[in-house]
Amino acid sequence: MEPTEAQFLVFNALDTLALVNYDFYDQERGNWYIDTPSPVLPRSVILPSGEVIPFEWVQNYDET
């Protein structure tokens, strides 16, 4: 699975603002994992819908 257009838009905006320290795209799940300098969302996930959520939400969801 390739990143969606919504994911590219969000990622490119964050990257342009120098808010991406590290990124990894999980082709199996379709999630784009990012590490940012933000104290609010230091480790985040860009979902295929383009929504940015805390990493812990995805981690907790996978455990249930």
Side-chain angles (χ1 to χ4, degrees), residues 32-50:
W32 204 330
Y33 298 87
I34 59 173
D35 180 70
T36 73
S38 167
V40 177
L41 291 171
R43 292 186 306 160
S44 308
V45 180
I46 306 171
L47 300 176
S49 65

Side-chain angles (χ1 to χ4, degrees), residues 11 15 25 35 53 59:
F11 178 81
D15 193 41
Y25 182 74
D35 180 70
I53 63 170
Q59 188 177 17

